[in-house]
Amino acid sequence: MEQNSRLGPSSTTPGTVRPGGRTAKVRTAVLEATQEALVEGGFHGLNMDRVAAQAGVGKTTVYRRWGSAAGLVADLLRDMAEQSVPAADTGSLDGDLLANARLVRQTLTDPRMGPVFQAVIAAAACDEECARALNGFYATRIREWSPCVERAAGRGEVPAGTDPGEVIRAVSAPLYYRFAVSREPLAEADAVRAAAVAFAAAKAGSFTRN
């Protein structure tokens, strides 16, 4: 939704410390301002001075802690991964995959989150730090949803040795293609189809590890 290190020598990498108290409030305010800036102007319109002003935080604090616009995006993605909705457990793999597909569609079509994801995907295409943060965001989400495939294998819904990560990727891939590549509308039917195709492929053994 991934860091050249332009941070000062006394700084820590953004998001590696889970702060409390006033520091946590500063981080929340800065990340909210970052999200707002991405919605309004995309990654290339992300200005650290304006983020600091919007958050009511000193510019020095923002530059010292996040170091760059890419550092802001990277920490925003970490925070989004931490705050994401937990994986579903409906009792069946087809139900879990449908819940996953619906969550992806809901996020990408949200008036606020859709532009944020467009901005971070565009940023990842031109900035290695953002690319690593985006990779980390999706790795976290895949890891959190993988147990639904493992449970399904235990119930005999899919073959033993099915790769959970590949099943979860198969659900979201067509939705992200429409969102980021072909720029087509994302309808409920698209989410239902993506989940059904991934489930059928998993059941047929298409995702078993060699």
Side-chain angles (χ1 to χ4, degrees):
M1 227 226 104
E2 312 170 35
Q3 285 192 16
N4 6 311
S5 214
R6 291 186 286 255
L7 300 175
S10 63
S11 302
T12 57
T13 302
T16 58
V17 177
R18 296 183 63 83
R22 183 179 182 282
T23 305
K25 292 178 181 178
V26 167
R27 183 187 185 220
T28 297
V30 169
L31 294 185
E32 286 178 353
T34 298
Q35 191 177 97
E36 187 66 38
L38 290 173
V39 171
E40 292 178 357
F43 178 67
H44 295 294
L46 185 58
N47 180 283
M48 296 186 73
D49 290 1
R50 286 200 290 271
V51 166
Q54 177 70 24
V57 175
K59 291 188 292 184
T60 301
T61 297
V62 175
Y63 279 95
R64 183 177 65 247
R65 181 162 179 195
W66 284 274
S68 66
L72 288 170
V73 172
D75 199 21
L76 176 63
L77 283 165
R78 292 188 191 95
D79 185 68
M80 288 165 60
E82 293 165 4
Q83 304 301 326
S84 292
V85 176
D89 184 0
T90 65
S92 67
L93 182 58
D94 54 342
D96 291 345
L97 297 184
L98 180 57
N100 179 274
R102 282 174 167 162
L103 179 59
V104 171
R105 175 183 176 266
Q106 177 185 336
T107 300
L108 297 182
T109 58
D110 182 83
R112 183 176 183 86
M113 294 311 301
V116 169
F117 272 93
Q118 284 180 344
V120 297
I121 290 170
C126 61
D127 186 280
E128 183 59 30
E129 183 172 7
C130 293
R132 287 196 300 270
L134 188 61
N135 177 272
F137 173 85
Y138 285 113
T140 298
R141 297 308 293 150
I142 289 169
R143 187 165 56 248
E144 290 178 353
W145 280 85
S146 290
C148 74
V149 182
E150 295 164 358
R151 291 192 298 266
R155 293 190 297 259
E157 291 182 82
V158 295
T162 296
D163 187 321
E166 290 305 315
V167 177
I168 302 304
R169 289 184 183 93
V171 174
S172 58
L175 303 178
Y176 274 96
Y177 181 89
R178 286 175 175 266
F179 173 76
V181 179
S182 63
R183 298 297 183 101
E184 299 172 76
L186 275 176
E188 165 72 4
D190 299 315
V192 172
R193 184 186 311 110
V197 170
F199 176 68
K203 191 172 182 179
S206 298
F207 301 114
T208 54
R209 297 185 180 97
N210 293 327

